[in-house]
Amino acid sequence: MQAADPDLDNEAAIESGRWLFEQTCTFVIGAVKMDDLPGTDMTEIAFAGRSNVGKSSLINALTNHKDLARTSNTPGRTQQVNFFELGGRMMIADLPGYGYARAPRETVRQWTDLVGDYLQGRPQLRRACLLIDARHGIKETDREVMTMLDKAAVSFQAVLTKCDKIKAAELEKRFKSVNDELATHVAAHPYLIATSSARGTGLETLRAALAALAPSR
Ligand code: GDP
């Protein structure tokens, strides 16, 4: 099921992913508006997902940190994009979580404005990782974000999270249904990656996929 991508299914790709994510990763800035975005042309990747999807856990697991990324999805809190620099080779943008059921309308509007501007106006953004909770599959708010990504022509990599929480047969079914829906989105990268931050599953594949976008060593 995992990583049918032939470009990643080799030791060199895995090794370059491992190497990149062993580099020092440091917090740069929490941007609340376009003017705050770091002025760099470094290759950038973004992480997006519904609140509680496991985004902070995944960023921490990928970068071998305990609490680099923290959940900041409390409704009403300022929406910000947190930037992390990885070894001077890649910028990681952690987008604010969305889809919180009780979020005030103003918070939703702030999210859409900030993320919309960011997706449209960041040429160095090479890929967005769109995280989907393996237990719940694709929700309506995820569809809205996929449509934003399609329209902004930002190529996105869908990633299933918390795969340890469901049985293998259920995961198999979920993987297929998510994959089928991804096929309807022009900006979707064709290979879905199933992960568990808790168990470390899929991390090597995702690291390899992202390292393939960074400048070579
Ligand atoms: P965020 O709001 O998207 O940043 O989500 P968090 O990373 O804070 O995770 C939300 C909750 O899901 C926390 O209680 C995590 O411990 C839990 N969680 C995250 N990833 C995993 C995973 O891979 N497996 C399991 N079992 N729990 C996870």
Side-chain angles (χ1 to χ4, degrees), residues 50-57 71 73 162 164-165 196-198:
R50 290 166 56 84
S51 302
N52 208 42
V53 71
K55 184 158 56 67
S56 318
S57 304
T71 312
N73 300 315
K162 307 190 190 181
D164 59 290
K165 288 224 174 195
S196 159
S197 303

Side-chain angles (χ1 to χ4, degrees), residues 63-109:
T63 58
N64 308 293
H65 279 75
K66 270 201 160 60
D67 54 6
L68 183 71
R70 294 219 178 114
T71 312
S72 57
N73 300 315
T74 324
R77 241 184 96 156
T78 315
Q79 306 272 299
Q80 62 181 43
V81 181
N82 288 321
F83 286 87
F84 304 94
E85 190 196 307
L86 185 57
R89 295 185 162 262
M90 189 174 253
M91 199 64 98
I92 297 175
D94 178 11
L95 303 183
Y98 56 79
Y100 191 86
R102 278 168 290 162
R105 191 176 294 182
E106 178 58 17
T107 308
V108 176
R109 195 190 57 79

